[in-house]
Amino acid sequence: MKPSKRNIIAVAHQAVDIIQSSQEANYLYPIKGGIVGLHNMGNTCHLNVCLQVLFYISEVRTEVLKVANQSSPIVTEMSSIFTNLNSLKSKGLVFVPHELATLLGNSTYEAQDCDDTMTRLITDLAEQIPGIGQLFRITYRDSANEQTNCYSIHTRIREPDLDHAIQYHLSTTRNTSWPQFLTFDIQREWQNDSIHQVIFDFPKKLTLPTVERQRYQLIAIVAYCNFHYVVFLQKSAYWIMINDEVAYSVPSTDINALKGCSTAEMPLLWYKTLEHKWLAKMLIYRMVQ
């Protein structure tokens, strides 16, 4: 499917040049090929990060690329976006997903929570492609013995780490069926219109405290700062940070900074000449053998 001209914009010159600032060069290096950015139309970063995560997961990408003219306009548009993300890799271009934003009811480009957007996208995909729902669906019975399905586990405010979040989930549910891709939505505390710098610890390798001892590997992190989302994707020895239109390589050691800490202690992750203290908001793990 050939992308229309109104959906594509050229990458800004400064987005593909090697960063000259010595401070920035210590942290991030621009990526010139292989990643297609998504244009932020104004508060659409929540949509961009979700699309990048779903496209990054090969099992999702393969199935969505097979879709053509589905009864769901959202799924059809996602297939079109994935086709363009797949074909524009080496061309230094950025795609503009404005049709999908409109279909999702966000034509005015208002800020939204990335977990809500991810749930909406997976729900629509699962209705047309059942296998995708199975990849993410967490099934369990609650205290009333009612079967419940969800696509992410929400941590509680002031919860210190992922271990506590999992233990709480297991203590309040029964017979949980764990998916291939396990997602956590981190709830942090707001104080005086700013996020409270509470540490939320999470491992890169996770073993569930269950009889089966399911093991997971961290593959993606959605992070935010000042109401703006970016996504970090795992690439063997390093990570890639995609900030809407541009992508950078990030040392694996810097991922620990996303856990949070006091402002004075927070290691710096740089984007161009601006200092951002990114905090993890959503964690996506892949089940491993």
Side-chain angles (χ1 to χ4, degrees):
M1 183 179 299
K2 187 177 180 180
S4 63
K5 291 183 179 179
R6 70 189 184 120
N7 286 100
I8 300 175
I9 58 176
V11 176
H13 179 70
Q14 64 268 27
V16 294
D17 282 347
I18 295 297
I19 296 177
Q20 299 300 317
S21 164
S22 60
Q23 287 180 312
E24 294 173 21
N26 288 333
Y27 291 92
L28 305 178
Y29 296 86
I31 295 172
K32 291 190 175 182
I35 298 292
V36 179
L38 292 169
H39 182 55
N40 190 331
M41 297 165 283
N43 295 322
T44 57
C45 54
H46 65 95
L47 175 59
N48 291 348
V49 294
C50 292
L51 287 172
Q52 293 287 9
V53 168
L54 293 174
F55 181 76
Y56 170 71
I57 297 174
S58 60
E59 292 86 343
V60 176
R61 181 175 66 250
T62 300
E63 291 301 318
V64 173
L65 286 172
K66 294 178 183 177
V67 173
N69 300 320
Q70 282 283 350
S71 58
S72 166
I74 290 176
V75 175
T76 300
E77 184 58 29
M78 286 187 67
S79 180
S80 173
I81 292 172
F82 279 24
T83 298
N84 287 305
L85 290 178
N86 208 40
S87 64
L88 297 174
K89 287 181 180 179
S90 61
K91 299 181 180 180
L93 299 173
V94 171
F95 192 77
V96 186
H98 57 80
E99 283 93 349
L100 182 58
T102 301
L103 288 170
L104 291 171
N106 193 25
S107 58
T108 56
Y109 307 136
E110 297 178 356
Q112 296 186 27
D113 186 272
C114 65
D115 182 66
D116 293 338
T117 302
M118 182 69 83
T119 298
R120 173 71 187 279
L121 293 177
I122 294 176
T123 299
D124 278 81
L125 286 172
E127 290 177 355
Q128 302 296 320
I129 313 171
I132 288 182
Q134 295 171 9
L135 292 175
F136 296 91
R137 187 178 297 116
I138 305 166
T139 303
Y140 59 89
R141 291 192 177 276
D142 58 22
S143 57
N145 203 33
E146 295 289 334
Q147 181 168 303
T148 301
N149 297 315
C150 63
Y151 292 119
S152 64
I153 293 177
H154 294 257
T155 69
R156 295 171 297 164
I157 290 178
R158 297 187 182 180
E159 207 150 31
D161 54 44
L162 206 57
D163 286 341
H164 281 78
I166 294 171
Q167 290 288 359
Y168 179 76
H169 173 82
L170 292 174
S171 69
T172 56
T173 63
R174 295 191 303 109
N175 302 327
T176 296
S177 174
W178 300 98
Q180 185 172 349
F181 294 94
L182 182 56
T183 301
F184 296 90
D185 182 57
I186 302 173
Q187 305 295 311
R188 296 182 187 265
E189 185 178 15
W190 289 88
Q191 292 183 357
N192 301 322
D193 295 326
S194 63
I195 197 70
H196 187 48
Q197 300 282 0
V198 176
I199 295 176
F200 184 88
D201 198 13
F202 54 86
K204 293 179 181 177
K205 294 183 178 181
L206 173 67
T207 300
L208 298 181
T210 60
V211 174
E212 296 82 5
R213 304 289 291 177
Q214 295 93 338
R215 296 190 300 125
Y216 286 86
Q217 175 76 41
L218 183 63
I219 62 167
I221 304 170
V222 173
Y224 65 132
C225 176
N226 297 331
F227 304 101
H228 180 64
Y229 291 111
V230 298
V231 62
F232 294 80
L233 303 176
Q234 198 270 332
K235 293 283 187 179
S236 62
Y238 66 98
W239 289 67
I240 292 174
M241 184 186 86
I242 306 177
N243 190 341
D244 290 327
E245 295 89 352
V246 293
Y248 298 94
S249 63
V250 180
S252 181
T253 52
D254 282 355
I255 295 302
N256 289 331
L258 304 178
K259 297 176 181 180
C261 58
S262 68
T263 302
E265 297 172 337
M266 176 69 77
L268 302 181
L269 287 174
W270 291 84
Y271 167 63
K272 295 185 179 178
T273 60
L274 300 178
E275 174 188 336
H276 290 283
K277 297 179 176 65
W278 302 108
L279 293 172
K281 177 66 169 66
M282 184 185 295
L283 307 172
I284 299 93
Y285 287 82
R286 174 193 287 271
M287 185 180 287
V288 295
Q289 298 299 321

